[in-house]
Amino acid sequence: MHAFRNWLKNKPDIGAIMDGIIYLDNAATSFPKPDVVHDTAREFYSKTGVNPGRTGCDLAIAAEQMIHGTRKAFSEFFNKSLVDAGIEKDPNRLVFTMNATMSLNLIVNGMVGPGDHVITTMLEHNSVIRPVNHRVRDHGAESTYIVPDSEGYIDPEDIRKAIKKNTTLVIVNHGSNVTGVVQDLKAIGAVCKEEGVPLAVDSAQTAGVLPIDMMECNISFLSFTGHKGLFGPTGTGGICVADDAEIKGTIYGGTGVRSAVPYHLEEYPYRLEAGTLNLCGIAGLNAGLGWVKEKGIKNIRAHEMELFEKLQTGLGEIPGVKFWGTKNLERRVATLSMTLENYDAQDVGTILDVEYGIQTRTGLHCAPLIHEHHGTVPRGTVRFSVGPFNTMEHIETALRAVAEVAADRPVEVAGLEKS
Ligand SMILES: Cc1ncc(COP(=O)(O)O)c(C=O)c1O
């Protein structure tokens, strides 16, 4: 923890980048990225940026090695208990995508066919809700959305009760991008295992932030994005498929090998990958993962949660502020959504940005169902999300700013309910 803090203090270029702005929108994308991410991506792309697997030249082999090494690094990162037991996780079942959205589409479309039933939750991002709804509307599938309790948790027994003979997938959000609440994946995974239904997890807000062990949680498909807690460039992400899981491929195209075969290849990674990969991005993502491992998830999280505790407590003391989800720091990530009585959330975000240089995210955060549940549609909430490069000073400034805006209380906005 102290080593991480000292590193943070002595990192001059971060201060320069952040000069004049307080970035509290890390749930959208982490910013800034560690220098090693840009440096590695640039270095790799300028020296080795050729298409891997398409030719046998040295550069292509080097590119392939980088890709394979990254598959292996992520396979191990999400499967620590296998690594500890000396069992190799098949690195080819780590497939790269453009982002969590593409990963989640591949999972839903590959697992939910006509007449199948999928269980998900009201906490999901549109990258789950929309593919699920398309399976239902356009392909004759059925869906069940589980409602969270008053603290934002999904009761695993509600999942059990919803399972039917035709349930082919349970897909849940690990950490909510609206409330920050973290679900108990072990308990959900245990129910799925007992009932024999594959579990898919959207780890967009938790990969790199919390340890995730696929075997321990019985996860068949782990979707991740590269540009948030893994500090990779945008346009990176993937799926880690458990070695015993089955899924249908739903994209078809070039693989660079066995080109004469008229149909897409069944073997991994090709089953879920087609076309040229984001080489430059994957090199940066590899460096992002290396950075997380070097700093230590525990240390990064301790820093973020220390700041978050101050934020949560401070906001709770400001009259008119309301926020949702458990206050238990052990069971959340450093993201919080709030409303301010008599204010439109968009206006609060604009004031924070223009008057104080504080960047938050306002609106529904692509997760409309949880806002419906909280009664915060259509205008949504103001979301604060803390990252490793934030400081206590940032949090203190944010709290002062919200307190000043709250104290001002200039007008009652027409049409906005008092809550
Ligand atoms: C919980 C959750 N799922 C999925 C996504 C989609 O991620 P991406 O933009 O990488 O597709 C996000 C992005 O904010 C998210 O927070």
Side-chain angles (χ1 to χ4, degrees):
M1 166 70 177
H2 291 303
F4 181 71
R5 204 181 261 155
N6 286 340
W7 176 85
L8 200 58
K9 251 192 216 150
N10 298 328
K11 194 83 178 70
D13 46 346
I14 299 294
I17 294 168
M18 300 303 271
D19 231 9
I21 64 156
I22 295 177
Y23 184 77
L24 286 167
D25 193 16
N26 289 279
T29 196
S30 51
F31 180 78
K33 303 289 194 255
D35 285 345
V36 67
V37 172
H38 329 125
D39 294 347
T40 306
R42 191 184 315 109
E43 166 88 6
F44 180 83
Y45 208 47
S46 60
K47 298 201 171 137
T48 328
V50 305
N51 215 335
R54 268 68 172 167
T55 69
C57 70
D58 287 353
L59 283 181
I61 290 168
E64 182 56 41
Q65 281 169 346
M66 185 281 290
I67 296 284
H68 192 75
T70 311
R71 291 190 203 282
K72 195 162 155 44
F74 274 100
S75 301
E76 291 175 356
F77 186 65
F78 293 131
N79 290 279
K80 188 173 177 305
S81 57
L82 284 184
V83 174
D84 289 350
I87 301 167
E88 204 207 358
K89 170 79 186 74
D90 181 358
N92 287 328
R93 281 179 173 247
L94 188 296
V95 299
F96 292 112
T97 62
M98 280 166 54
N99 45 40
T101 303
M102 186 176 165
S103 301
L104 293 161
N105 270 267
L106 282 167
I107 294 169
V108 171
N109 295 341
M111 290 302 294
V112 185
D116 290 343
H117 174 232
V118 50
I119 297 172
T120 187
T121 82
M122 289 191 80
L123 290 148
E124 304 311 309
H125 190 274
N126 270 337
S127 53
V128 170
I129 296 171
R130 287 177 175 168
V132 164
N133 290 348
H134 274 277
R135 296 319 281 173
V136 172
R137 192 192 68 182
D138 306 335
H139 300 276
E142 297 175 68
S143 63
T144 302
Y145 285 87
I146 307 286
V147 183
D149 68 14
S150 58
E151 287 201 287
Y153 302 129
I154 295 297
D155 182 346
E157 289 308 314
D158 286 346
I159 293 180
R160 192 195 302 279
K161 283 183 217 145
I163 290 175
K164 307 199 282 187
K165 275 208 176 80
N166 59 339
T167 307
T168 55
L169 185 69
V170 171
I171 182 162
V172 298
N173 172 291
H174 188 198
S176 164
N177 64 316
V178 175
T179 61
V181 175
V182 170
Q183 300 303 326
D184 183 351
L185 288 186
K186 252 196 207 172
I188 293 173
V191 165
C192 291
K193 188 171 186 172
E194 282 159 24
E195 302 298 329
V197 180
L199 171 64
V201 171
D202 173 6
S203 74
Q205 294 295 332
T206 53
V209 175
L210 291 169
I212 301 173
D213 190 294
M214 289 181 67
M215 199 172 81
E216 219 175 69
C217 301
N218 188 46
I219 299 169
S220 294
F221 308 102
L222 182 70
S223 157
F224 64 95
T225 196
H227 64 101
K228 301 185 197 259
L230 291 163
F231 299 95
T234 50
T236 59
I239 309 171
C240 192
V241 179
D243 287 358
D244 60 355
E246 281 303 325
I247 184 168
K248 249 175 57 186
T250 50
I251 54 164
Y252 318 115
T255 47
V257 296
R258 286 184 279 300
S259 297
V261 178
Y263 296 100
H264 199 76
L265 304 181
E266 289 285 312
E267 72 217 58
Y268 289 96
Y270 309 117
R271 185 182 292 208
L272 299 176
E273 271 178 12
T276 302
L277 292 174
N278 177 3
L279 260 190
C280 176
I282 293 169
L285 177 61
N286 190 332
L289 176 63
W291 186 85
V292 168
K293 292 201 286 199
E294 186 206 324
K295 299 296 164 208
I297 282 192
K298 241 189 184 169
N299 296 329
I300 298 173
R301 179 158 164 81
H303 173 73
E304 289 180 356
M305 295 315 285
E306 186 186 350
L307 303 191
F308 181 81
E309 186 173 22
K310 172 90 179 169
L311 179 72
Q312 180 174 254
T313 309
L315 286 176
E317 288 165 356
I318 299 173
V321 167
K322 182 171 179 186
F323 51 88
W324 289 263
T326 182
K327 293 198 170 97
N328 180 351
L329 298 180
E330 300 294 314
R331 295 200 56 186
R332 53 157 41 265
V333 288
T335 293
L336 175 153
S337 277
M338 58 151 263
T339 52
L340 187 53
E341 194 179 17
N342 291 335
Y343 275 94
D344 183 314
Q346 321 280 331
D347 291 344
V348 176
T350 305
I351 296 168
L352 292 177
D353 180 15
V354 174
E355 302 287 327
Y356 298 91
I358 298 169
Q359 297 194 359
T360 60
R361 175 65 59 98
T362 59
L364 300 181
H365 316 107
C366 300
L369 299 184
I370 192 62
H371 283 279
E372 263 173 36
H373 184 61
H374 292 154
T376 46
V377 275
R379 302 299 286 169
T381 53
V382 185
R383 183 181 72 187
F384 292 86
S385 46
V386 177
F389 301 117
N390 288 122
T391 64
M392 198 52 97
E393 204 186 330
H394 292 163
I395 303 301
E396 282 161 1
T397 307
L399 288 173
R400 207 176 54 245
V402 176
E404 284 177 10
V405 178
D408 206 5
R409 292 172 178 259
V411 281
E412 243 174 64
V413 180
L416 273 188
E417 265 179 34
K418 284 188 183 182
S419 54

